[in-house]
Amino acid sequence: LLGADVGSALATTIFASGISFAKQAAPLLVFIGYAIFSFSREDRPHSAGRVLIGVGLMLIALQLISQSTRPLSDASLFHDVLAAIGREPVLAFIIGAVLAWAFHSTLAAILLITSLVVNGSMGVDSAAAFILGINLGGGLPALFGSWSLPVHARRLPAANLLCRGLICIAGLFALPWLMASPLSAMFAGVSAPLALHLGINLVIGVLWLPLTALAAHMITSLMPDTGEDADRLSAPRYLRGGETNIATALANTVLETGRLGYVLDHMLVTAFVALRSGRTEKLKRLRVLDQRLNGYHSELQSYLADVVERTVDPDEARRALEITLYVSNLEHAGDIISLSLIDRIKAKIREAHDFNASETQSLDSLCTMIQSNLRDAASVLGSRDIASAQALIAQKDTFRSMENKVIRDHLGAKKSGRGKALRRSALFVDLLRDLHRINSHIVSVGYPIVDAAGLLRESRLRKPK
């Protein structure tokens, strides 16, 4: 991050000193970026187009900032105000920090100060205090932006602000000596704010680079871990090794399957949030959740295998098999979400397909049914109630009937734009099929219970007459 600060200051210096280049390059960059963004379908070119558009707009903004400050060179009242502020370095420092935070960009704030120096509205000595404040305020947006995150995620922007703040405050107190020393010749002329900004970041990087461990220790002491920040679903918590009571061990695994089901439910909700919003950022979270689901699956399978080896009671062995099958089915359902459903959602977003209100409502209804079945499955596994198991299995037929109706209505609707409509229709049907497979894995918990009661038919096929 220290290196990123130096790179940012270097980019600020290059962009701010290249206003004439910006006039020529900005429209070209926006046009090229728009063309790439509009006509590409792959993620990387799509993102590259966004970057080019952003750089072009930033160069245009630099021109506008430079042009908008030119009239201030003739405003005598404005000069008097700046002169008064310049005589109060602490006030100038605070205003600079507020500017950087309000702009959410040190580049824009530095360019504003540079423009004021260029048109004669501000002296170099006054600008120096503003620049120090801007470098401190540059760390505030990241700190406030991460405020809702866990404490370990807030430490990095806080450490960066700490490193910036100590050097900038020390520089504020050393400013009179710096302006009176021979070093002030390095910061003479209209480019002084840019040179000072780059110099401050170089000093911060050079001084703190060998002291990163100290900075980490300081910020950890100021922001210690709290029990609330611990992830309660990071690993199983009820699987106690060496449990001698088999019934207790099996009850503990049932508790863990409930937590496993919660992770699966979270995966499904996260996927549908991305589907509705048309943004793929949420899908990155699914990779972590799928790894967690796989971790639960491995530990539960290993624990249940140990239980089966130690038990001599056929009922307990059958119970362990029921739980093992259900855990395996939940893991398979998670694989469908992470390997198949995600690809469908990404394709829908990448290819800019929109589902109508009826189709969206159908998907939401099927998702809600899956979530309800997931909660019922946990109850059936815990109670082993035959009637509840039969009702859960019946939900599979209900789901299939609803799915078939949605597909019939979807395929029977008239559509324009044959080629794109076919691709959109195929994606919609594939999403339905993925939801069908997920639901089938969930309701399967009822089959061993109904089978043990002798109420399960061998086949759904009718016998020929």
Side-chain angles (χ1 to χ4, degrees):
L1 198 55
L2 293 171
D5 289 338
V6 174
S8 176
L10 184 61
T12 299
T13 304
I14 294 172
F15 280 124
S17 60
I19 298 298
S20 59
F21 164 76
K23 293 180 180 179
Q24 302 172 358
L28 184 63
L29 289 173
V30 172
F31 175 75
I32 295 175
Y34 174 76
I36 295 175
F37 178 83
S38 299
F39 296 105
S40 64
R41 290 294 177 263
E42 298 297 327
D43 289 339
R44 289 187 177 181
H46 213 55
S47 299
R50 287 176 174 173
V51 170
L52 291 176
I53 294 173
V55 172
L57 293 176
M58 183 174 65
L59 292 177
I60 293 174
L62 297 182
Q63 298 177 54
L64 295 175
I65 291 174
S66 179
Q67 294 170 6
S68 64
T69 57
R70 287 174 186 170
L72 295 176
S73 59
D74 299 326
S76 58
L77 178 61
F78 182 72
H79 282 226
D80 293 339
V81 172
L82 285 181
I85 294 175
R87 289 191 292 270
E88 299 292 338
V90 175
L91 180 60
F93 181 86
I94 295 173
I95 293 175
V98 172
L99 281 176
W101 171 76
F103 291 174
H104 273 56
S105 169
T106 55
L107 172 58
I110 292 292
L111 184 59
L112 176 62
I113 300 301
T114 304
S115 300
L116 295 175
V117 173
V118 169
N119 62 32
S121 300
M122 183 184 296
V124 174
D125 53 344
S126 300
F130 279 100
I131 298 299
L132 287 168
I134 288 171
N135 277 276
L136 172 66
L140 293 176
L143 182 68
F144 290 127
S146 62
W147 204 256
S148 61
L149 299 177
V151 66
H152 62 272
R154 300 198 303 267
R155 286 180 184 146
L156 183 60
N160 179 249
L161 184 63
L162 176 69
C163 296
R164 286 171 177 258
L166 292 177
I167 299 299
C168 291
I169 293 172
L172 180 64
F173 286 104
L175 196 57
W177 171 84
L178 182 63
M179 290 294 105
S181 69
L183 292 174
S184 61
M186 300 172 57
F187 305 109
V190 295
S191 62
L194 301 177
L196 184 60
H197 176 57
L198 180 59
I200 291 170
N201 281 275
L202 285 171
V203 169
I204 294 173
V206 170
L207 290 182
W208 280 104
L209 187 59
L211 303 175
T212 50
L214 175 62
H217 177 72
M218 291 169 60
I219 208 66
T220 303
S221 301
L222 294 172
M223 303 173 66
D225 289 318
T226 60
E228 295 179 357
D229 294 317
D231 189 346
R232 300 181 183 276
L233 290 171
S234 59
R237 61 186 301 181
Y238 298 112
L239 303 184
R240 292 178 292 186
E243 178 63 62
T244 56
N245 190 314
I246 301 299
T248 302
L250 291 173
N252 289 339
T253 59
V254 172
L255 290 174
E256 287 299 344
T257 58
R259 289 157 55 82
L260 184 66
Y262 180 81
V263 175
L264 181 65
D265 179 80
H266 193 20
M267 290 179 68
L268 188 63
V269 170
T270 302
F272 265 76
V273 168
L275 180 67
R276 296 187 197 101
S277 65
R279 301 175 65 89
T280 59
E281 288 82 358
K282 288 285 186 181
L283 296 178
K284 298 176 183 178
R285 175 65 177 161
L286 287 176
R287 187 182 300 110
V288 177
L289 292 172
D290 185 55
Q291 292 173 353
R292 184 168 299 172
L293 196 72
N294 293 335
Y296 269 79
H297 173 252
S298 299
E299 293 199 38
L300 279 166
Q301 293 280 43
S302 176
Y303 190 84
L304 287 165
D306 179 66
V307 169
V308 171
E309 288 180 0
R310 291 188 290 116
T311 185
V312 294
D313 189 336
D315 290 336
E316 291 176 342
R318 188 182 304 110
R319 177 65 166 157
L321 179 61
E322 291 174 4
I323 301 171
T324 301
L325 292 174
Y326 181 58
V327 169
S328 179
N329 279 312
L330 289 184
E331 195 272 338
H332 285 313
D335 287 342
I336 294 170
I337 296 175
S338 62
L339 298 178
S340 182
L341 193 63
I342 286 182
D343 288 341
R344 318 285 190 210
I345 295 173
K346 285 182 177 178
K348 174 188 175 296
I349 296 172
R350 183 175 60 250
E351 299 170 15
H353 296 292
D354 290 323
F355 296 146
N356 59 40
S358 175
E359 293 164 343
T360 302
Q361 184 179 3
S362 297
L363 289 172
D364 288 341
S365 298
L366 292 175
C367 179
T368 301
M369 186 180 295
I370 291 174
Q371 291 178 284
S372 176
N373 290 341
L374 187 57
R375 291 190 293 270
D376 292 341
S379 301
V380 168
L381 183 69
S383 66
R384 303 184 77 188
D385 180 66
I386 297 174
S388 298
Q390 288 176 308
L392 182 62
I393 294 173
Q395 286 294 311
K396 186 174 182 179
D397 293 329
T398 304
F399 189 96
R400 183 187 298 108
S401 298
M402 185 175 177
E403 175 194 6
N404 290 337
K405 180 181 181 301
V406 170
I407 292 177
R408 284 195 303 270
D409 293 343
H410 172 75
L411 296 180
K414 294 182 179 180
K415 303 177 179 66
S416 59
R418 192 67 179 165
K420 188 172 182 179
L422 286 175
R423 173 60 178 158
R424 172 183 168 281
S425 179
L427 276 174
F428 181 74
V429 173
D430 286 341
L431 284 170
L432 294 176
R433 294 304 187 194
D434 284 340
L435 294 178
H436 176 93
R437 292 163 60 200
I438 293 169
N439 185 71
S440 296
H441 282 301
I442 291 171
V443 301
S444 63
V445 67
Y447 286 110
I449 297 170
V450 175
D451 187 32
L455 300 175
L456 191 66
R457 290 184 298 182
E458 293 183 1
S459 174
R460 298 178 60 212
L461 295 175
R462 293 180 179 176
K463 295 182 179 180
K465 296 181 180 179

